[in-house]
Amino acid sequence: MKILEYDRGLFSSRVKWCIENPNGFPGSETAQLVLVDQGAHGFFSVNSQTNLEENPWYIQWVNTRLNGKDPLSIRTRFSLTGTMGSTIHMNAFSIEDKEKMVDVHALDFDVSTGKGFETLDAKGRWEGLSQGSELVMGPVTFTSDLYRLTDMIWAGKNTFSLEQLKINDGKSDPVDLSGLTVNFDTSASEDKKSITMATDFHVDRIELGGKPLSDWGATFKLKQMDMASVEQLMVLYSDIMTQAGQRLEKTGGNPGDFQETLKDEMARNTPQLMAALNGLLKKGLGMEITGLDIDLPEGKVSGNLDLSLKKDLDPSNLFIFAIQPDMMFSFFDLDAQLSLPYALAGGIPNLTEPLLPGMATGLFVIQGDLLSLDMHIKEEKLFLNGNQVVLNQ
């Protein structure tokens, strides 16, 4: 963020500032968002109204697509105590896309921050959009209740819900989904040295190809990640994206070349990435999937996974595992179960046939109309579907 102009008066102020997006493609008009705040001073607060009129791309869009009627209203209150609250409202509007009319419905969004920007609370509701009977989406609601752990990492809860999504373009099987909820939860350990990120989702009902299904759900966790290493990776990612964009801009490249430029930057930063990875692979780091329950036309997919490190793992050990694969069993705890309909994947022989000499069965065994997998590590040995797997052969 940068302040471009600041005109402070006794009873009012005008501030022109911008948000720069270093990850945007060089030369694109949206790589920078310019905002103008017109504030009225009170005894204990400043009330401000924000507009986007300094962005030519935005004004052109409003004038050519919306007949000059700006749908956005942004009002903010800055308190003497250091808190801030903003209310954003977007009026409904309609635009024509590929000779079809798209109706974008109203949005309301409220966000507030605590003193020193240490906390953030937000809630919003978007009524969604529609394109005749081909596409209906919404309403959408979302909330955030967060507190800052570091400059880059926030803990707390985010929620997202979608009441309905209907897609029926006449070219493929129609999709009708309702009652999607997604919860994101980030928590820190007592010593603030590690974090756990959990995501769970649930769908009340979904119709695929004319068959109604219900109660899709699962929970996914990344457990006990070293906070300093996570932040280091986030900073590296941001720097790599920025450097790739700057290189592309200097060479006069086009957005189509961005992927190759990004790969070059990843290679240049390999030592830093490996150092961050080394800090991340510590005892307790784990991944967990619970309550996987997905109903498909062919049958039900269900399962659980719990994988974690028993001790610190140096990335150099990965090369040793390639030579002596059984050594990896001393580093990990593993418990995994998965079942899926035979009709869904029974035609893939590699799933049910041994892939290595040390395997007594394939990854899956046939149990009635299901393919079933049961895998765990016990006493530094790997067991698959009730049989030990010996890799050093």
Side-chain angles (χ1 to χ4, degrees):
M1 296 184 184
K2 291 182 180 179
I3 294 178
L4 305 177
E5 297 176 8
Y6 183 26
D7 182 13
R8 178 176 178 176
L10 180 61
F11 300 107
S12 65
S13 295
R14 181 182 181 274
V15 182
K16 179 179 176 181
W17 57 290
C18 71
I19 302 173
E20 292 187 342
N21 178 18
N23 299 340
F25 289 117
S28 66
E29 293 180 318
T30 56
Q32 184 185 74
L33 178 66
V34 179
L35 304 99
V36 177
D37 282 321
Q38 189 68 48
H41 301 177
F43 286 106
F44 302 108
S45 64
V46 173
N47 292 307
S48 173
Q49 187 160 346
T50 305
N51 67 68
L52 306 181
E53 295 175 357
E54 295 285 338
N55 299 278
W57 57 269
Y58 181 74
I59 294 301
Q60 182 182 10
W61 179 76
V62 169
N63 290 335
T64 57
R65 305 298 293 274
L66 303 182
N67 296 320
K69 296 180 180 179
D70 189 348
L72 274 180
S73 170
I74 306 173
R75 301 179 183 275
T76 305
R77 183 178 184 273
F78 302 91
S79 171
L80 186 65
T81 60
T83 62
M84 182 191 77
S86 291
T87 298
I88 301 172
H89 174 76
M90 182 184 73
N91 292 325
F93 59 88
S94 299
I95 57 174
E96 188 174 339
D97 181 49
K98 297 179 180 178
E99 299 182 352
K100 294 182 179 180
M101 193 60 66
V102 178
D103 297 315
V104 181
H105 307 306
L107 174 143
D108 287 286
F109 180 57
D110 296 310
V111 58
S112 61
T113 62
K115 184 178 180 180
F117 205 58
E118 294 294 328
T119 61
L120 185 147
D121 292 295
K123 62 179 180 179
R125 179 182 174 90
W126 178 39
E127 298 302 329
L129 60 83
S130 57
Q131 182 178 309
S133 61
E134 293 184 9
L135 172 64
V136 177
M137 183 175 71
V140 176
T141 59
F142 42 91
T143 66
S144 292
D145 183 6
L146 307 174
Y147 63 93
R148 188 170 63 180
L149 288 173
T150 71
D151 288 342
M152 299 286 288
I153 301 174
W154 291 71
K157 295 183 178 180
N158 295 287
T159 67
F160 169 88
S161 67
L162 171 62
E163 187 172 308
Q164 185 179 54
L165 174 64
K166 287 185 176 182
I167 303 173
N168 187 3
D169 59 5
K171 300 176 182 178
S172 55
D173 288 340
V175 175
D176 187 352
L177 175 150
S178 61
L180 169 65
T181 59
V182 185
N183 299 299
F184 308 92
D185 191 348
T186 300
S187 58
S189 60
E190 289 187 9
D191 59 8
K192 300 292 193 298
K193 291 185 178 180
S194 65
I195 57 173
T196 293
M197 297 180 178
T199 302
D200 68 79
F201 82 94
H202 183 268
V203 178
D204 289 341
R205 180 181 180 278
I206 184 167
E207 186 174 305
L208 297 174
K211 182 175 181 179
L213 307 168
S214 63
D215 289 337
W216 286 20
T219 299
F220 176 72
K221 285 185 181 180
L222 292 173
K223 303 184 294 183
Q224 298 187 43
M225 295 184 292
D226 180 74
M227 192 183 305
S229 299
V230 171
E231 186 166 38
Q232 185 180 359
L233 282 169
M234 293 172 70
V235 172
L236 273 171
Y237 170 79
S238 179
D239 288 345
I240 288 170
M241 293 292 286
T242 301
Q243 291 162 8
Q246 290 174 346
R247 282 182 58 191
L248 198 65
E249 187 173 22
K250 288 179 181 178
T251 59
N254 59 63
D257 301 326
F258 185 75
Q259 199 66 33
E260 286 300 318
T261 306
L262 185 59
K263 288 181 181 178
D264 290 343
E265 284 300 324
M266 293 284 286
R268 285 158 55 96
N269 286 271
T270 296
Q272 295 93 321
L273 289 169
M274 292 301 292
L277 180 62
N278 187 54
L280 198 61
L281 296 175
K282 292 184 177 179
K283 179 181 178 180
L285 174 70
M287 178 176 67
E288 182 179 323
I289 299 174
T290 57
L292 177 64
D293 190 352
I294 297 178
D295 200 4
L296 297 173
E298 296 83 359
K300 180 168 294 205
V301 176
S302 61
N304 297 281
L305 169 70
D306 192 351
L307 174 66
S308 61
L309 275 173
K310 294 194 290 187
K311 51 188 175 182
D312 294 355
L313 174 63
D314 191 288
S316 62
N317 288 121
L318 300 178
F319 300 102
I320 299 176
F321 294 161
I323 302 172
Q324 295 179 289
D326 278 356
M327 280 191 62
M328 73 176 73
F329 304 147
S330 65
F331 283 87
F332 294 97
D333 280 324
L334 171 65
D335 187 16
Q337 296 84 34
L338 178 64
S339 69
L340 51 96
Y342 182 85
L344 181 68
I348 306 175
N350 288 342
L351 293 180
T352 54
E353 296 178 1
L355 301 177
L356 301 170
M359 296 173 61
T361 71
L363 289 174
F364 289 84
V365 293
I366 301 173
Q367 294 184 344
D369 59 354
L370 294 175
L371 293 177
S372 176
L373 174 148
D374 183 2
M375 182 185 298
H376 60 272
I377 294 176
K378 182 179 180 181
E379 297 178 352
E380 300 186 1
K381 297 176 182 178
L382 176 65
F383 292 86
L384 175 62
N385 301 318
N387 300 283
Q388 184 181 351
V389 178
V390 181
L391 297 181
N392 292 341
Q393 291 192 11

